[in-house]
Amino acid sequence: QVQLQESGPGLVKPSQTLSLSCTVSGDSITTNSSYWTWIRHSPGKGLEWMGAIAYSGKTYVVPSLKSRTSISRDTSKNQFTLHLNSVTPEDTAVYYCARGPRRTTQEYWGQGTQVTVSS
């Protein structure tokens, strides 16, 4: 069974960089045709697909966040990480990592982690 677990700070100050990691068990992040995604949910914006990293290592980021977002991976730890720079209170949300057969389709989700941006 595929399981994903997000980890990272629950509170970040404005202008700092948010880094969230997703540790995967029950599957490999290099499994052919797998896509590993970051999605966030906030009351004001709803669900927002942020970006993904493919089994090949190729990354995709939504245009609205491209200037301050990157996604990396550590295959030795079976883990992928979201980096979001220059955060503002508008980045306050529950952040989820997920796995799917396409970058916009998710079959398995982590439980989500609340991130608050506040001074």
Side-chain angles (χ1 to χ4, degrees), residues 7-9 12 16-22 37-38 40 50-53 59-62 65-74 79-87 91 95 115:
S7 60
V12 186
Q16 291 186 337
T17 295
L18 169 66
S19 292
L20 292 174
S21 291
C22 182
T37 303
W38 286 100
R40 64 183 180 181
M50 300 180 71
I53 185 164
T59 59
Y60 308 84
V61 178
V62 67
L65 295 174
K66 202 163 190 176
S67 64
R68 58 190 187 99
T69 302
S70 63
I71 300 173
S72 62
R73 69 178 184 177
D74 185 336
Q79 189 177 76
F80 61 106
T81 299
L82 171 74
H83 307 278
L84 181 64
N85 302 325
S86 304
V87 297
D91 294 311
Y95 286 74
V115 175

Side-chain angles (χ1 to χ4, degrees), residues 29-108:
I29 61 173
T30 61
T31 294
N32 197 32
S33 300
S34 63
Y35 290 81
W36 306 90
T37 303
W38 286 100
I39 294 167
R40 64 183 180 181
H41 180 267
S42 60
K45 297 182 182 179
L47 272 178
E48 180 182 20
W49 183 93
M50 300 180 71
I53 185 164
Y55 60 100
S56 61
K58 183 175 175 61
T59 59
Y60 308 84
V61 178
V62 67
S64 60
L65 295 174
K66 202 163 190 176
S67 64
R68 58 190 187 99
T69 302
S70 63
I71 300 173
S72 62
R73 69 178 184 177
D74 185 336
T75 57
S76 68
K77 294 181 180 179
N78 211 35
Q79 189 177 76
F80 61 106
T81 299
L82 171 74
H83 307 278
L84 181 64
N85 302 325
S86 304
V87 297
T88 73
E90 289 197 347
D91 294 311
T92 294
V94 178
Y95 286 74
Y96 297 91
C97 58
R99 189 266 196 225
R102 291 175 291 278
R103 61 181 186 265
T104 56
T105 301
Q106 292 76 45
E107 295 176 323
Y108 302 96

